[in-house]
Amino acid sequence: MRVEERVRELLNRMTLAEKIGQMCQVTGGTEEHKDLVRQGRVGSILNVSESEAPDRARVSNDFQAAAVKESRLGVPLIIGRDVIHGFRTVMPIPLGQAASFDMPLVEEAAAVAAREASACGINWTFAPMVDVARDPRWGRIAEGGGEDPLLTSRLGAAMVRGFQGPDPAHPERIAACAKHYVGYGAAEGGRDYNTTWIPEGLLRDVYLPSFKACVDAGALTLMSAFNDLNGIPATGNPWALRQVLKTEWGFGGFVVSDWASVEEMIPHGLCSDKPEAARAAVAAGVDMEMVSACFSEHLVQLVEAGRVPMELIDDAVGRILGVKFQLGLFDSPYTEEARSNVLLTDGHLDVAKRLATESCVLLKNDEALPLPGDMGSLAVIGPLADAPVDQLGCWTMDGRGEDTVTPLQALREALRGRCDVRHAPGLPDCRSTDTAGFAEARRVAGDCDAAVLFLGEDAGLSGEAHCRAFLDLPGAQEELVAALADVGRPVIAIVMTGRPLTLTGIVEHVNALLVAWHPGTMGGPALADLLLGVSSPSGKLPVSFPRTIGQVPVYYAHKNTGRPAPPGKEGVPVGTPLDPESFFSTYLDMHHSPLFPFGYGLSYGAASYSNLKLSGPALSMGETLEVAVTVTNDSAVAIEEVVQLYVRDPVASLTRPVKELKDFMRVPLAPGESRKVSFALGTEHLAFHNGDGQRIVEPGVFHVMVGGSSQDVLKAEFTVTD
Ligand code: GLC
């Protein structure tokens, strides 16, 4: 029988209470919850167990048995967990994965996470998080793909494919959940859960595309967000959920609320009480309530009173049952407990190391890297040189510090017998202002041939509800850099972080600067390979790095304004007479550009771009232009270059950004190799949404730009004709 038929047949046998039970999700594997499962009053559990692997699968199977064998209709549970960037093998944070621009590898990493999580009885992850974020104060910028809709879309789609595979019923696959729908990353002030005001055209051009990409990739579920979206919380927003997601896009899976976001519509001020919150959420298109109990306590009465149509309940439950059938839970509800030995296999750790290596972004290198092979001694300094838990980053519910290989450990291993690796933390932790350790750090650095500083944020400074009003290196870390600046040795700074930081205070005092994000379990071996030249850095920034917090928001796809700042424009000397001719969109006290732009990243080689060629000067609607460029590795080092394609519509019925990423490609280049790289640019890539929400392409002149960052590009023009 087809899934639809099996769903209908089962729905017809369910009581109203059993239907509503499917719409309720609880957290924690308690006996009370197991009883609710037996009564058919729970359809899903998250965080069912925190125990060791083999036991974990057994606990999950226990709860599944309560559903399958002891409830009246035997409907299996869907068992969820936040498997955000790895399960026990922790991958780089998603923002770091985005920096790799390597979507096949991102997909492979998600498949590893699914293989490990499924072995522990989990069949649903609350990932990928695909909230575009342009405010680095927001702690959850760590969890997504950064500031660009295309990169975030491709990251999300790759993760959906990795989690679900070609057949989500496969025992090693799990259901994905694109979150947080929608606009959550636009929180005012970069403060989590805060208000968002996003015009429909901007929603459709910037914040919705990554969710559409996940739906198109087959995501079985979405999660509604916490934020107030234009006056109606996303969890009670029928325009977003019913009109766009379920009607326009034809999404056939189900929507789960975020943690108590249904009940939170009361403090939001949309709903007066829990019955109203339940009604509003179901009416808007939320199918399952996470953790709060508005559905379980009030939906039966609301339906019986005619305030919630039975059709909406049947639609919601039909969606939930449909996903459970697609996951194969009715046919194979249990996890094979013997499989739990798949955790932390060499193959999984290799994926984690490769992705950590490719996610690192080299921002400065005064020929200090790679470190020379004949070094006699190396100083390893800083609070994150040997911080196994912080290195994993935020949202690592199942990652363990004991599994982490830190940079200090990896460098000692790699240099054993040929270089003396000396360690001085300098600071007790990332946020400490206790400079008592500086003297030892200076001495160790001065005694060695080079010093590598591991700086940045501890894991607790990023993630949900962990927003910052300042973006500087925390504590006395900048002072630590300054304290080493005059030791007369090359100083290399490695920054582990969950967000862009304002590195203005250290960039001039170090010989090399590399951002490693929070690189995960294998961050140490990845960084050792990069520092020692076994690998060349290849990552590019998925988000702009501001010079100062005062610039935020600062992102590459900005509008031109009527008075765009000339490149060199900065400030006015004291006594300068007012001159309207010099009035531009700049600051008096800081250059308006970011310190490091979106798409920027160096390697140990040097890629140059030439021969930008278009297949023709014009194309009509529906046609495709070939954009070709030659990329050359002008060095003796093998590199991988992320070639980026941007477009600008300089004149349109709504003003358009100065550039928008439309494609990218990782290109391996042997020493001295030149390669022709081609992109297919169709008129559909030039579309934008007008104020009425229509997706349109307007004829006219367009600029096309290709390069190794958003700021360093070759340009050409073409025309679109009617
Ligand atoms: C949290 C997060 C969401 C997560 C969920 C379950 O509050 O907002 O991303 O998946 O609750 O832990």
Side-chain angles (χ1 to χ4, degrees):
M1 232 188 328
R2 289 181 318 111
V3 167
E4 296 74 20
E5 293 166 83
R6 297 180 75 178
V7 167
R8 199 171 308 111
E9 186 279 328
L10 179 52
L11 262 178
N12 291 336
R13 292 188 285 132
M14 296 175 84
T15 65
L16 175 59
E18 287 166 335
K19 289 178 181 177
I20 287 164
Q22 287 300 308
M23 299 169 70
C24 301
Q25 180 185 61
V26 295
T27 181
T30 64
E31 282 311 308
E32 178 204 355
H33 289 161
K34 198 178 281 185
D35 281 341
L36 292 175
V37 169
R38 292 188 183 99
Q39 298 163 40
R41 293 172 56 194
V42 163
S44 174
I45 293 188
L46 74 148
N47 308 324
V48 70
S49 164
E50 307 297 335
S51 54
E52 281 300 323
D55 191 44
R56 194 121 177 226
R58 187 191 57 70
V59 170
S60 293
N61 286 339
D62 235 9
F63 270 81
Q64 200 62 283
V68 172
K69 293 177 179 167
E70 299 178 58
S71 76
R72 187 177 77 88
L73 292 173
V75 177
L77 293 166
I78 182 168
I79 297 173
R81 183 76 168 177
D82 289 286
V83 185
I84 308 302
H85 53 106
F87 183 70
R88 182 72 185 273
T89 302
V90 178
M91 306 295 169
I93 55 171
L95 190 59
Q97 296 190 35
S100 75
F101 283 77
D102 187 341
M103 297 305 123
L105 187 52
V106 167
E107 180 176 337
E108 201 178 342
V112 165
R115 193 172 302 124
E116 293 192 349
S118 59
C120 292
I122 290 154
N123 44 51
W124 181 25
T125 176
F126 305 122
M129 188 272 216
V130 288
D131 300 305
V132 168
R134 294 172 165 175
D135 191 327
R137 294 171 293 182
W138 190 48
R140 304 196 77 165
I141 195 169
E143 282 180 72
E147 71 184 54
D148 182 74
L150 177 79
L151 179 55
T152 303
S153 297
R154 294 210 180 151
L155 181 86
M159 288 182 172
V160 167
R161 292 192 298 270
F163 290 135
Q164 296 186 176
D167 176 9
H170 187 285
E172 294 187 338
R173 301 292 187 167
I174 58 179
C177 180
K179 69 185 188 181
H180 308 76
Y181 189 75
V182 64
Y184 183 37
E188 272 182 5
R191 275 196 320 281
D192 209 352
Y193 319 116
N194 207 358
T195 307
T196 63
W197 288 100
I198 311 173
E200 179 174 345
L202 189 63
L203 267 171
R204 288 181 180 276
D205 287 344
V206 173
Y207 294 98
L208 283 166
S210 50
F211 290 93
K212 180 68 165 58
C214 290
V215 167
D216 291 347
L220 291 172
T221 71
L222 263 75
M223 182 184 292
S224 67
F226 288 120
N227 53 293
D228 177 333
L229 176 60
N230 299 334
I232 300 177
T235 294
N237 196 304
W239 175 83
L241 290 165
R242 281 227 185 273
Q243 180 181 325
V244 174
L245 177 63
K246 293 184 174 181
T247 305
E248 283 180 28
W249 297 355
F251 175 62
F254 74 83
V255 175
V256 62
S257 76
D258 203 337
W259 188 290
S261 63
V262 171
E263 186 169 354
E264 287 175 9
M265 291 200 285
I266 299 170
H268 264 300
L270 185 79
C271 303
S272 52
D273 54 25
K274 289 168 79 170
E276 177 53 19
R279 189 206 60 74
V282 172
V286 170
D287 304 303
M288 182 184 283
E289 180 180 15
M290 181 186 284
V291 174
S292 50
C294 301
F295 286 13
S296 57
E297 290 172 4
H298 301 285
L299 263 187
V300 168
Q301 298 87 332
L302 286 164
V303 173
E304 289 170 347
R307 293 189 58 213
V308 170
M310 177 60 91
E311 299 75 56
L312 294 190
I313 300 295
D314 286 345
D315 177 65
V317 180
R319 289 170 180 271
I320 294 165
L321 297 176
V323 168
K324 292 184 175 182
F325 277 115
Q326 290 176 77
L327 281 173
L329 294 178
F330 285 87
D331 304 322
S332 312
Y334 302 109
T335 299
E336 206 185 306
E337 293 173 22
R339 278 189 49 224
S340 53
N341 60 3
V342 299
L343 306 183
L344 294 165
T345 63
D346 290 347
H348 292 180
L349 294 171
D350 176 59
V351 171
K353 179 183 172 184
R354 282 188 286 129
L355 190 47
T357 304
E358 292 192 13
S359 67
C360 292
V361 184
L362 183 61
L363 298 178
K364 175 184 179 182
N365 188 20
D366 291 348
E367 295 172 9
L369 287 178
L371 294 168
D374 58 357
M375 269 183 323
S377 54
L378 177 66
V380 176
I381 312 282
L384 288 174
D386 196 30
V389 173
D390 287 322
Q391 179 174 316
L392 300 179
C394 61
W395 283 107
T396 51
M397 301 183 80
D398 300 290
R400 305 224 181 119
E402 72 211 42
D403 304 326
T404 302
V405 184
T406 66
L408 177 64
Q409 293 165 334
L411 286 165
R412 281 189 165 145
E413 179 60 30
L415 294 170
R416 190 182 309 284
R418 61 189 176 99
C419 175
D420 177 20
V421 176
R422 311 268 306 279
H423 176 225
L427 286 161
D429 61 52
C430 291
R431 304 185 215 177
S432 172
T433 54
D434 174 1
T435 60
F438 280 22
E440 185 205 8
R442 278 179 57 82
R443 185 173 53 75
V444 167
D447 289 348
C448 291
D449 296 330
V452 185
L453 272 69
F454 291 90
L455 309 166
E457 292 183 320
D458 57 276
L461 279 179
S462 73
E464 182 173 357
H466 290 169
C467 303
R468 295 182 62 198
F470 295 95
L471 300 176
D472 306 323
L473 283 167
Q477 294 184 60
E478 283 195 18
E479 291 81 349
L480 176 59
V481 173
L484 298 182
D486 63 353
V487 294
R489 297 286 186 280
V491 175
I492 294 100
I494 307 288
V495 177
M496 293 189 189
T497 180
R499 70 180 82 231
L501 296 177
T502 45
L503 301 173
T504 319
I506 68 165
V507 66
E508 298 308 322
H509 301 306
V510 298
N511 301 93
L513 175 60
L514 182 134
V515 170
W517 314 103
H518 284 121
T521 304
M522 295 300 281
L527 285 165
D529 275 5
L530 290 167
L531 287 166
L532 302 176
V534 173
S535 307
S536 166
S538 58
K540 300 282 187 177
L541 292 180
V543 61
S544 307
F545 274 52
R547 297 172 190 274
T548 176
I549 184 68
Q551 285 181 283
V552 170
V554 57
Y555 51 93
Y556 87 88
H558 60 81
K559 298 294 189 74
N560 200 36
T561 78
R563 297 193 179 187
K569 176 72 181 162
E570 182 179 347
V572 286
V574 172
T576 303
L578 277 182
D579 169 8
E581 291 303 308
S582 72
F583 289 0
F584 296 100
S585 180
T586 60
Y587 299 109
L588 293 180
D589 45 8
M590 180 69 72
H591 196 274
H592 57 277
S593 62
L595 183 62
F596 297 108
F598 174 88
Y600 177 81
L602 303 173
S603 69
Y604 290 155
S608 60
Y609 289 74
S610 58
N611 301 328
L612 177 58
K613 293 258 186 298
L614 308 185
S615 54
L619 70 164
S620 50
M621 292 297 174
E623 287 188 337
T624 296
L625 193 68
E626 185 199 27
V627 180
V629 70
T630 300
V631 190
T632 302
N633 175 0
D634 303 312
S635 77
V637 175
I639 62 173
E640 290 218 3
E641 173 71 353
V642 178
V643 183
Q644 301 152 51
L645 172 74
Y646 297 88
V647 164
R648 180 184 182 183
D649 185 350
V651 179
S653 57
L654 288 180
T655 57
R656 305 301 304 138
V658 295
K659 59 174 70 84
E660 294 175 280
L661 184 69
K662 293 299 178 184
D663 204 348
F664 58 83
M665 202 183 294
R666 269 183 79 96
V667 177
L669 292 168
E673 180 186 5
S674 281
R675 188 178 291 210
K676 178 183 172 186
V677 176
S678 297
F679 297 98
L681 184 65
T683 52
E684 69 275 7
H685 297 118
L686 310 176
F688 65 96
H689 290 84
N690 62 20
D692 302 327
Q694 266 83 39
R695 192 167 189 274
I696 58 175
V697 179
E698 295 180 334
V701 171
F702 285 81
H703 300 166
V704 59
M705 294 152 272
V706 181
S709 102
S710 60
Q711 301 309 312
D712 181 12
V713 292
L714 297 179
K715 282 188 182 179
E717 287 191 3
F718 63 94
T719 303
V720 171
T721 58
D722 266 326

